[in-house]
Structures are given as C-alpha cells and as structure tokens.
Amino acid sequence: MRLPASTTQRIAAAVAIAAAGVLLPAAALAAPALSGWPAASPATAPVPACHGPRHQVWLGLGEGAAGMNQTFVPLEFSNLSPQACRLTGSPTVAVFSRHGQVGKAAATSASQRSVVLLSGETAHVILHIEFPSPLGPKCDPKMGQLHIRLGGMSTDLLGYPVAQCRNTKLNLLRVDPIHSGVGVPGFTVR
C-alpha cells in the first residue's frame, strides 16, 4: 500500500516535531554544562547560613532617621564571599561597656523572614533607638558600644556609642527582621 505524498509528508512533519519536542529540552539542560557556566542547583539544595570573615556587618552611613526622643539606624549585612548564603530572623543587638553587657538585648520580632544574599549583595535591619526620658521611669542609662550578631555574622561597632538602661524592666532598643537590599539612612524606616 502506497500512501499519498501529502499524508507521507504530514507523518514526516509530525515525527520531526515530536523529535524536536524531546530533543530541545535535553539540549537546554545540557547547555550549562557545555558552556562552562555552573548548572542550576536543584531546588532542594539548602543555601548555607552566612558566616565567617567574608560576611560583614556594618553601620549604614549617615545619621539615620530621627524623631522626637528616638532615632532609626540601618545595620547592613554584606556577603563578600563568592557563594550565596542565607540570613534569617532578627539579629541580636546588645550594648556592651568595658564591664560587660548593659541591660537587655534589643527587643526583636518573632518573624523568621529569610533573605538569600548572592555574592556582593547586602541586606539590612533597622535598629530603633529611644532616648531615655527624664520624666519617664528610672532608666539609669549607661553608654556602651553596639554588638551585633545574626547567624554566624557578628561585629562590635566601636565608633557608635549608644545608651541602654541598666534597669532591665526598660529597653531602649528594638530591631526588626532582616530585609533584602541596603537600608538608606533617613529614608528606610522599616
């Protein structure tokens, strides 16, 4: 039995389309391996926590946003390593004098928000600092330096003195969960 030419051509075209449908995804998957670029990692591969000397914590430049008896200061977390890493939640922020920790660590949110930092990227939190009121409850403030820790990243901000209440029933510091991007002093409040 001989098929008419138009039917033979239709079958050949259908086989060619089916073969292309199978071969095209296979070629796309093989392309990263052939090009020298790393292949995409599986979605199940966990991104490690940021830690070590190639992950830095620093104070956002500028004076921060100020209000009556309060200021808002961005704290920056930068990934200077060649691999991506993850930051989760709120940092521990405390004031230390030469005699040890002053009062409580900054109040935090229970949020477990997570940010993945690619190489060279920065994330931030906003530190809310209240100034003790002479008309309020007895605070007994003491000056010290900020110590910041989030995951495996930590630093002492020696050039930034902050007052904290020695009375542990009062807390002048509050910090929010991690946000992606750089915090802008005087602009980024949340």
Side-chain angles (χ1 to χ4, degrees):
M1 175 171 126
R2 187 175 159 118
L3 297 173
S6 62
T7 306
T8 305
Q9 289 173 343
R10 286 184 192 156
I11 293 173
V15 169
I17 290 172
V22 171
L23 294 176
L24 189 58
L29 290 173
L34 297 175
S35 68
W37 288 93
S41 60
T44 58
V47 176
C50 298
H51 68 283
R54 301 204 64 188
H55 301 97
Q56 296 185 352
V57 182
W58 50 285
L59 183 65
L61 302 175
E63 297 179 13
M68 177 147 325
N69 294 331
Q70 62 186 344
T71 190
F72 299 89
V73 180
L75 303 175
E76 314 288 349
F77 299 84
S78 294
N79 178 9
L80 304 178
S81 77
Q83 287 86 25
C85 65
R86 177 179 304 277
L87 292 171
T88 302
S90 298
T92 301
V93 178
V95 175
F96 280 82
S97 72
R98 60 186 168 167
H99 301 294
Q101 185 172 331
V102 179
K104 291 177 158 182
T108 62
S109 161
S111 171
Q112 289 300 305
R113 181 183 308 148
S114 190
V115 172
V116 173
L117 294 178
L118 301 177
S119 178
E121 288 188 334
T122 296
H124 73 280
V125 298
I126 300 297
L127 175 63
H128 177 200
I129 304 170
E130 291 184 49
F131 304 122
S133 170
L135 303 175
K138 186 172 179 177
C139 170
D140 193 16
K142 177 153 178 81
M143 295 300 287
Q145 307 296 322
L146 286 177
H147 176 77
I148 302 157
R149 184 177 67 243
L150 180 59
M153 300 171 75
S154 67
T155 194
D156 292 315
L157 294 176
L158 301 175
Y160 195 78
V162 175
Q164 174 62 306
C165 294
R166 287 188 253 194
N167 174 357
T168 58
K169 292 181 182 176
L170 298 173
N171 195 342
L172 300 177
L173 307 175
R174 202 169 44 242
V175 66
D176 65 348
I178 195 77
H179 301 271
S180 59
V182 176
V184 179
F187 180 75
T188 307
V189 180
R190 293 188 185 157

